[in-house]
Amino acid sequence: MFSEELIALASYMAGEFDNQAQAIADPAWYVHLRLWQRPVPLFLEDSLTLYAEQANIVKLDRPYRPRIIRLKPAHDFPTSIQVQYYMIKDISSIKGAGSKPALLKTLTPDRIELLPDCALTVTQVGKTEGGYRFQALLPANSRCCFSYEGQTYQVSLGFEASPDEFLSYDKGIEPETGKALWGAMMGPFRFRKRQDFSSELPI
């Protein structure tokens, strides 16, 4: 049903991660984070979907940036992969689901909102004996924006995924000036997988 590449990408991304080594080596620029990317049973007809959130290591009970990441074949090129982002309408109802996966069973399509300009194009940038290396980037001139509590936010999204690590290039952007405000301002956050959730994927 799903291509080998799509399954590989979802498997690499599904897990609990942290960037401990990076945060210790360069604490001025990289906060020690825990990242959860957990399979969620949405869009099962053609996609593998993840719920993502993250937390400061000293505030694990206060995760933030909840989002839905849908991995699916690209419409124009079925052998390619597109990564579509969604926001959650009622964040409080799902907060903490990275470590409490039972909460994800309540998530339905009507409780999430498509972010039409927040879709990444995935390319395979390498292959080794261990597996693939994927890179996902926003198309040129795309502006990924969303509204929350009356304010408009812009983010620059991007990542690389391989069996060994997950690199996040996500940054918050000032919509008026295009200046980066937070996130991977000095290069990507380099996450290592602490726990594998790929067995939760519906494959």
Side-chain angles (χ1 to χ4, degrees):
M1 179 179 178
F2 301 114
S3 70
E4 178 183 329
E5 291 81 4
L6 183 61
I7 291 171
L9 177 58
S11 298
Y12 300 164
M13 293 178 67
E16 179 181 326
F17 301 78
D18 74 20
N19 67 324
Q20 181 181 33
Q22 181 184 47
I24 291 172
D26 197 357
W29 286 105
Y30 296 99
V31 175
H32 187 182
L33 298 176
R34 185 74 52 84
L35 169 67
W36 295 269
Q37 295 184 141
R38 196 129 210 169
V40 59
L42 291 173
F43 309 114
L44 297 177
E45 67 279 2
D46 65 352
S47 309
L48 294 173
T49 305
L50 302 165
Y51 168 80
E53 65 183 3
Q54 62 199 56
N56 188 307
I57 198 70
V58 298
K59 300 176 182 177
L60 291 178
D61 60 333
R62 286 189 260 174
Y64 59 94
R65 285 197 70 212
R67 53 213 183 267
I68 296 295
I69 307 172
R70 180 183 181 185
L71 314 179
K72 61 178 182 175
H75 289 303
D76 297 337
F77 302 98
T79 57
S80 299
I81 302 169
Q82 183 184 64
V83 177
Q84 176 66 61
Y85 284 76
Y86 296 74
M87 68 179 293
I88 298 158
K89 296 177 182 178
D90 181 10
I91 291 175
S92 62
S93 68
I94 205 74
K95 197 172 183 180
S99 56
K100 301 173 185 175
L103 292 173
L104 296 176
K105 296 178 181 178
T106 68
L107 199 57
T108 52
D110 61 300
R111 294 176 58 199
I112 65 176
E113 182 179 339
L114 174 70
L115 299 174
D117 296 317
C118 305
L120 310 184
T121 300
V122 177
T123 55
Q124 183 185 322
V125 293
K127 188 175 183 181
T128 67
E129 290 184 6
Y132 300 95
R133 186 169 193 89
F134 298 101
Q135 183 179 69
L137 299 171
L138 277 172
N141 301 318
S142 288
R143 281 170 51 92
C144 175
C145 297
F146 62 93
S147 297
Y148 178 66
E149 295 185 343
Q151 280 192 288
T152 297
Y153 298 88
Q154 182 179 347
V155 289
S156 175
L157 300 170
F159 65 80
E160 292 184 35
S162 68
D164 299 324
E165 62 181 353
F166 180 82
L167 308 185
S168 173
Y169 290 87
D170 291 1
K171 294 188 291 287
I173 303 295
E174 165 55 52
E176 300 300 322
T177 65
K179 181 181 178 181
L181 300 174
W182 54 260
M185 298 169 65
M186 297 297 290
F189 279 77
R190 294 181 173 273
F191 291 101
R192 292 280 180 170
K193 187 175 286 191
R194 295 168 45 92
Q195 188 174 353
D196 188 5
F197 299 152
S198 61
S199 63
E200 300 173 14
L201 290 166
I203 53 177

